[in-house]
């Protein structure tokens, strides 16, 4: 894949990603945005029938509900659930679906089908500034930044300090890793995982003694540019309540892109759609 050089290209690729993740036809989301449609929905497909560039989760979802730049996306296995949630989110209701009252009602719709709320997440993608008018952050004094090879990052396989940066997951393999060194010791790490054929997810860890130094923001920004150079859209997921993490993403040049809610069967292992790389440092 060639280098991603424009903000417009990122938006197109994110739309393609979300269409695949919500079982929408190609172009449905772009058309909804162009026509100012507030909600677009589709019945859930089996994994084998979904587009190959969908995000790679271990387990299948029963319901996926998102809001992308003002457009609500709804995909559900049970048609009655899809109808009920469509009515609940009529008008501009999708803009408020993260409120507790709305989530509680959604859970009420899910309960008769033995479904559970698996989690909510807020996702960030690169801003126009980061892509088209980049401003390099300076490496803080006494720190050094290096990119690791796969052989080098294997050393950290059992190191809990860097569990957000490295996943060691065959389905979503680690693809690029940057570390911050202080006096020769690794004190920060940002890692990217190939979550789909289009997008890499970035995770960040900084040891407590070196938080608030700026190295976390620096590592995330540099890794985002590596991702773009290699033809993948970097994205950053965190909890909607994690303000520290969200501020890190903003400082690194990201912007909020979509909010997401997922449910799975009470009989299944929870689907892996909650932010797998919750960010704690800067």
């Amino acid at each position: 894949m060639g280098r991603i050089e424009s903000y417009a290209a990122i938006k197109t690729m994110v739309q393609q990603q979300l269409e695949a993740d919500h079982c929408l036809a190609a172009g449905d989301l772009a058309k909804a945005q162009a026509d100012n449609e507030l909600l677009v929905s589709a019945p859930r497909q089996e994994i084998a029938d979904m587009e190959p560039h969908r995000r790679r989760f271990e387990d299948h979802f029963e319901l996926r509900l998102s809001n992308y730049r003002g457009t609500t996306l709804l995909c559900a296995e049970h048609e009655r659930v899809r109808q009920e949630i469509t009515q609940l989110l009529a008008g501009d209701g999708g803009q408020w679906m993260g409120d507790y009252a709305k989530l509680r009602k959604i859970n009420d719709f899910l309960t008769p089908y033995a479904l559970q709320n698996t989690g909510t997440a807020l996702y960030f993608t690169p801003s126009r500034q980061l892509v088209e008018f980049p401003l390099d952050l300076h490496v803080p004094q006494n720190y050094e930044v290096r990119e690791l090879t796969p052989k080098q990052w294997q050393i950290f396989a059992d190191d809990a300090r860097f569990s957000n940066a490295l996943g060691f997951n065959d389905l979503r393999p680690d693809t690029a890793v940057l570390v911050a060194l202080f006096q020769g010791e690794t004190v920060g790490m940002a890692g990217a995982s190939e979550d789909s054929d289009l997008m890499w997810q970035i995770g960040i860890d900084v040891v407590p003694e070196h938080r608030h130094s700026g190295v976390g923001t620096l590592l995330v920004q540099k890794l985002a540019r590596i991702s773009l150079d290699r033809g993948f859209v970097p994205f950053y997921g965190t909890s909607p309540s994690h303000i520290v993490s969200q501020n890190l993403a903003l400082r690194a040049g990201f912007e909020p892109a979509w909010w997401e809610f997922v449910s799975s069967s009470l009989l299944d292992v929870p689907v892996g759609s909650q932010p797998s790389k919750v960010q704690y440092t800067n």
Side-chain angles (χ1 to χ4, degrees):
M1 299 177 68
R3 184 179 187 275
I4 300 173
E5 298 181 338
S6 72
Y7 184 65
I10 287 177
K11 291 183 70 173
T12 296
M13 293 175 72
V14 172
Q15 288 174 352
Q16 292 171 342
Q17 184 66 67
L18 294 179
E19 287 168 348
D21 294 342
H22 293 79
C23 304
L24 298 169
D28 277 359
L29 179 52
K31 183 178 184 301
Q33 295 245 294
D35 296 343
N36 294 317
E37 294 181 31
L38 296 178
L39 188 148
V40 58
S41 73
R44 193 206 73 173
Q45 300 171 328
E46 294 303 318
I47 289 179
D49 298 324
M50 295 176 70
E51 292 293 334
H53 59 273
R54 67 174 181 85
R55 275 178 289 163
R56 303 168 190 155
F57 301 121
E58 286 90 347
D59 304 289
H60 207 5
F61 64 89
E62 304 288 336
L63 166 71
R64 186 177 300 280
L65 180 63
S66 301
N67 188 285
Y68 170 75
R69 301 182 184 276
T71 300
T72 299
L73 311 177
L74 169 60
C75 181
E77 178 185 19
H78 300 283
E79 184 60 25
R80 180 64 183 273
V81 171
R82 190 158 71 103
Q83 292 173 358
E84 294 280 8
I85 295 178
T86 296
Q87 293 178 11
L88 175 66
L89 302 180
D92 68 347
Q95 314 305 322
W96 306 100
M97 62 186 175
D99 286 358
Y100 175 73
K102 285 281 196 298
L103 291 176
R104 185 180 60 190
K105 289 183 179 179
I106 291 171
N107 268 327
D108 290 343
F109 298 148
L110 299 177
T111 300
Y113 298 92
L115 303 179
Q116 63 181 341
N117 174 0
T118 305
T120 62
L122 180 63
Y123 290 100
F124 293 72
T125 54
S127 66
R128 185 184 299 274
Q129 174 76 38
L130 178 60
V131 183
E132 298 180 358
F133 310 100
L135 295 174
D136 284 327
L137 296 174
H138 296 293
V139 178
Q141 189 175 4
N142 299 321
Y143 290 90
E144 178 186 356
V145 173
R146 293 182 187 173
E147 183 173 1
L148 300 185
T149 65
K151 184 176 181 179
Q152 290 171 326
W153 75 58
Q154 285 291 330
I155 298 171
F156 297 94
D158 298 317
D159 194 330
R161 297 176 302 166
F162 305 113
S163 59
N164 290 308
L166 288 168
F168 296 101
N169 185 311
D170 291 338
L171 192 61
R172 302 187 300 276
D174 300 308
T175 54
V177 176
L178 295 179
V179 295
L181 303 176
F182 183 82
Q183 297 179 353
E185 179 185 357
T186 300
V187 298
M189 181 183 295
S193 59
E194 187 177 314
D195 281 29
S196 80
D197 294 346
L198 301 177
M199 300 180 72
W200 285 0
Q201 182 171 191
I202 292 178
I204 177 70
D205 291 290
V206 178
V207 300
E209 298 80 7
H210 292 268
R211 294 174 184 172
H212 310 294
S213 65
V215 296
T217 302
L218 174 71
L219 291 173
V220 169
Q221 185 185 86
K222 285 186 174 294
L223 192 55
R225 290 185 180 156
I226 288 173
S227 176
L228 293 168
D229 287 343
R230 297 177 186 175
F232 292 85
V233 174
F235 73 109
Y236 176 111
T238 190
S239 167
S241 64
H242 203 312
I243 303 304
V244 171
S245 174
Q246 294 170 31
N247 283 335
L248 186 152
L250 294 172
R251 287 194 300 272
F254 285 72
E255 64 185 17
W258 79 95
W259 175 95
E260 186 171 287
F261 168 98
V262 175
S263 76
S264 62
S265 171
L266 287 167
L267 306 178
D268 294 338
V269 176
V271 66
S273 68
Q274 69 274 19
S276 58
K277 296 184 175 183
V278 176
Q279 323 296 341
Y280 290 96
T281 62
N282 73 339

